[in-house]
Amino acid sequence: MLSLELLDSNLVLARRQGDDVRVVAQAPGFAILEEHETLTGAAAAARLRTRPLLAHSSFWRSLGTEPLARPSRLVGTTADLAFAQAGELLGPHKDDPEGVLLAVPAGYTREQLGLLLGVVGETGVTVAGLVDAGVAASSLEPVKARVFHLDLELHQALLTVLDYVGGERPGLKRTHYEIIPRRGLLALQQTWMTLIGEEFVRRTRFDPLHEASSEQRLFDQLPQWLTRLQTESPLTLTMQFADRALEIELTHERFVAAAQAHYADLVSLVQNARTAGVAIELRLSHRVAALPGLRERFEALRDCTVQVLPQGAAALGALRYAAAVRRPADALALVHHLPTPRAAGDEPAATPIEMTPAPLRPTHVLFQGRAWRISERPLAIGWSLDEAERGLTLSGAAPGVSRSHCTLVRRNGSVLIEDHSTYGSFVNEERVVGRTVLTVGDRLRLGSPGVTLELIQLVNDHGAPQD
């Protein structure tokens, strides 16, 4: 079976054969539209700075069918570009009978997910399932009550917030996500290229950013220099100019100082997503952890432990939990919940054990601007409820909504939804099977298209959740 991690900063293809699981291909999400050929991945990266008018680096995120401003004979839309790169990665593996699992970063619309299925399907490889990339990456190791996953795409930073939930389907579930535009890998690289260019000008009068070919050489060498910077400071940087080899020195501290505006936004992204009083474990992609000085900034945060994930973690996680990700071809849906085990010794100390930490436990369900309290007495939801029931009656018979569709109840320290419907209840677009634990921020959809409700927490004046 195959799995493809669709982070455009580095797409990773992994394959499982028996007990052997390994990364078999990887490529950055770049494309160059030549007149008679389309270059993607490393081949496109090698011309990115010398052919800027023909270069594309956001086609995975802007996936669509709108015409490109500068199409070629072969490519007319971002979907065409995605197909070209997907075909290059998946083409050698068309013989895999189990198909491919797609690890998709948060933020894609339903329309884009549908288009993505078509694009990958056109390569000749069957899509066997879709899973949220942050959930898949964070599921490689047992989890605590709350986990944050931070990754950098080419043009934006993505933070996925995940919670461990109990009940009949224990595991790790995506609660929500946050995105910062213009704080992706390319912006950081440009910041350091500017730093290096200015230092070359100051020391040697040579400006590597003045001419396209030398700018490309600087872009090509930057990843190697950043790797060396992890163990070497000051770092000697060498560039060839005509027949001369020019050298400068830069320290680790200079690289960190140049990136302060980027790092401050990334730290704020994590801090703003925190819940007061709840410790977090921050899981960093290998590319984020490799940025000079950033990991240390996170390790200095209060009640925050940091774990670095391996390369291709989302692809590897998808394969590990393939049984939970796979779906029939006519029922493909993006999975936000995997049966990741809880970390040993991380059970709450309260007696009796609370399945959901208090700051994450909903107190009310919100519908059309009104909040209904959730308590030990079940709250029935539907369009025609029994008069004896405590209930939330939905006005009108919305498509797919049953007379008594579901109930919400607080039990043993958790808030549960129990589905009784014909056409289903969905938590964050994943169908409820029997009962599911709910957390603050979950979106509950009843029926299809049905109606949508939100799980919220109301607090008293002193900040404690209302009973």
Side-chain angles (χ1 to χ4, degrees):
M1 168 162 273
L2 302 167
S3 63
L4 180 59
E5 177 180 319
L6 289 170
L7 273 294
D8 61 10
S9 46
N10 192 43
L11 284 79
V12 175
L13 182 67
R15 188 171 192 175
R16 182 187 65 201
Q17 291 181 300
D19 295 331
D20 181 39
V21 179
R22 66 179 65 184
V23 172
V24 295
Q26 55 185 307
F30 297 132
I32 298 288
L33 299 190
E34 300 285 4
E35 186 65 18
H36 300 289
E37 65 175 338
T38 303
L39 304 178
T40 66
R47 303 188 190 184
L48 198 67
R49 299 304 176 114
T50 60
R51 308 298 297 273
L53 295 180
L54 306 179
H56 293 266
S57 61
S58 60
F59 54 91
W60 283 106
R61 264 302 178 181
S62 59
L63 190 65
T65 57
E66 292 296 317
L68 295 174
R70 291 175 177 268
S72 71
R73 290 184 179 182
L74 304 176
V75 170
T77 68
T78 54
D80 294 335
L81 286 170
F83 170 72
Q85 183 158 44
E88 185 169 339
L89 287 167
L90 294 170
H93 306 280
K94 290 182 180 180
D95 60 337
D96 194 305
E98 295 184 279
V100 62
L101 305 174
L102 302 181
V104 185
Y108 276 72
T109 66
R110 284 190 185 183
E111 292 75 15
Q112 286 181 310
L113 289 174
L115 185 55
L116 178 63
L117 292 177
V119 164
V120 175
E122 285 296 313
T123 67
V125 178
T126 302
V127 178
L130 300 94
V131 62
D132 179 88
V135 177
S138 300
S139 293
L140 287 175
E141 298 291 338
V143 297
K144 296 184 178 180
R146 168 152 282 193
V147 176
F148 287 1
H149 175 259
L150 180 64
D151 211 338
L152 292 185
E153 299 179 42
L154 287 176
H155 295 280
Q156 61 189 26
L158 172 62
L159 181 74
T160 307
V161 180
L162 310 110
D163 292 315
Y164 180 86
V165 296
E168 293 184 350
R169 296 182 64 217
L172 190 63
K173 181 178 72 170
R174 188 185 86 188
T175 304
H176 62 279
Y177 65 89
E178 301 288 343
I179 289 175
I180 302 185
R182 299 180 296 280
R183 284 297 185 240
L185 191 61
L186 283 179
L188 261 172
Q189 290 175 335
Q190 187 60 50
T191 296
W192 286 319
M193 288 175 65
T194 300
L195 168 69
I196 295 168
E198 291 175 348
E199 190 68 9
F200 266 107
V201 171
R202 191 172 73 87
R203 295 289 184 88
T204 71
R205 304 302 180 189
F206 164 61
D207 184 358
L209 299 180
H210 181 68
E211 196 267 329
S213 61
S214 58
E215 181 180 345
Q216 182 68 55
R217 293 200 305 273
L218 175 53
F219 179 76
D220 294 340
Q221 290 178 265
L222 182 60
Q224 304 168 30
W225 288 337
L226 292 176
T227 299
R228 286 172 51 198
L229 197 64
Q230 296 178 28
T231 57
E232 183 181 342
S233 181
L235 182 67
T236 300
L237 286 66
T238 304
M239 288 199 71
Q240 195 73 26
F241 175 62
D243 59 348
R244 293 185 298 158
L246 304 178
E247 291 185 351
I248 62 169
E249 282 190 352
L250 284 171
T251 64
H252 182 276
E253 290 72 22
R254 293 280 303 278
F255 277 84
V256 174
Q260 279 308 307
H262 298 267
Y263 288 3
D265 283 349
L266 294 177
V267 171
S268 294
L269 179 65
V270 172
Q271 289 288 71
N272 292 340
R274 300 187 66 161
T275 300
V278 178
I280 59 168
E281 181 177 346
L282 178 60
R283 299 193 172 179
L284 303 177
S285 72
H286 73 287
R287 67 189 128 257
V288 174
L291 301 176
L294 182 56
R295 177 180 177 180
E296 291 77 8
R297 289 282 299 271
F298 288 124
E299 290 176 333
L301 297 179
R302 175 184 52 82
D303 295 332
C304 176
T305 58
V306 176
Q307 182 181 9
V308 179
L309 299 173
Q311 185 177 36
L316 300 175
L319 288 175
R320 176 172 295 185
Y321 292 96
V325 176
R326 296 191 67 166
R327 296 286 190 276
D330 59 350
L332 286 171
L334 185 63
V335 173
H336 301 93
H337 183 175
L338 292 178
T340 314
R342 188 160 192 161
D346 188 53
E347 292 76 13
T351 303
I353 293 176
E354 294 187 351
M355 302 298 291
T356 305
L360 307 179
R361 189 169 56 241
T363 60
H364 292 71
V365 60
L366 184 67
F367 178 63
Q368 294 184 343
R370 181 181 172 188
W372 277 261
R373 188 169 67 90
I374 305 171
S375 67
E376 285 80 4
R377 183 183 174 190
L379 174 70
I381 304 177
W383 65 269
S384 181
L385 302 173
D386 190 301
E387 291 185 1
E389 292 182 296
R390 174 175 173 261
L392 190 174
T393 301
L394 304 174
S395 57
V401 177
S402 299
R403 288 175 176 271
S404 181
H405 196 99
C406 64
T407 54
L408 305 183
V409 63
R410 190 169 68 189
R411 186 174 299 155
N412 297 328
S414 290
V415 170
L416 305 176
I417 174 175
E418 299 178 347
D419 180 61
H420 319 299
S421 69
T422 301
Y423 296 103
S425 301
F426 301 82
V427 177
N428 301 327
E429 298 307 320
E430 186 173 0
R431 184 162 186 165
V432 174
V433 179
R435 296 186 299 175
T436 293
V437 175
L438 300 170
T439 54
V440 174
D442 282 344
R443 294 176 64 84
L444 176 60
R445 176 167 63 86
L446 310 183
S448 183
V451 297
T452 300
L453 306 89
E454 296 183 34
L455 279 300
I456 64 173
Q457 183 182 90
L458 300 184
V459 297
N460 297 319
D461 291 342
H462 57 285
Q466 292 184 6
D467 291 331

